[in-house]
Amino acid sequence: GVVSVDSVEVAGVTDPAATLTINRQSVAVTDEGHFRQSVRLTTGINTIEIAATNPQRKETTKVIQLLVDVAQMGPTRPAPET
């Protein structure tokens, strides 16, 4: 899909015993198998590769491609004062 943000949050559920990587970087998996990781995006096509390897060394991979269109991005808003 086409997005106009500079990062996305990748989240899901896998085997709690699995080793998980997103774009070849290790990601923590909870005891229930949940994971969540922010991924920075750049202008153009971004490929996000999610790979889970179970204790028997069977790997499952999911590849997602996003097109980032900076022209669609609005102006950055300052954080509200507290």
Side-chain angles (χ1 to χ4, degrees):
V2 178
V3 296
S4 57
V5 295
D6 61 0
S7 68
V8 293
E9 187 169 276
V10 178
V13 181
T14 188
D15 179 339
T19 301
L20 187 84
T21 61
I22 297 177
N23 291 346
R24 296 192 174 126
Q25 298 213 359
S26 294
V27 175
V29 177
T30 68
D31 291 341
E32 296 81 33
H34 296 269
F35 63 89
R36 180 179 310 268
Q37 180 71 34
S38 180
V39 176
R40 295 198 50 75
L41 303 173
T42 58
T43 302
I45 296 173
N46 289 257
T47 300
I48 300 171
E49 182 180 282
I50 306 159
T53 306
N54 70 14
Q56 293 76 36
R57 297 186 176 242
K58 180 181 179 210
E59 183 176 86
T60 302
T61 303
K62 171 78 175 174
V63 176
I64 301 167
Q65 288 194 318
L66 298 172
L67 174 60
V68 177
D69 185 353
V70 174
Q72 299 286 328
M73 289 183 176
T76 302
R77 288 184 251 160
E81 292 185 27
T82 55

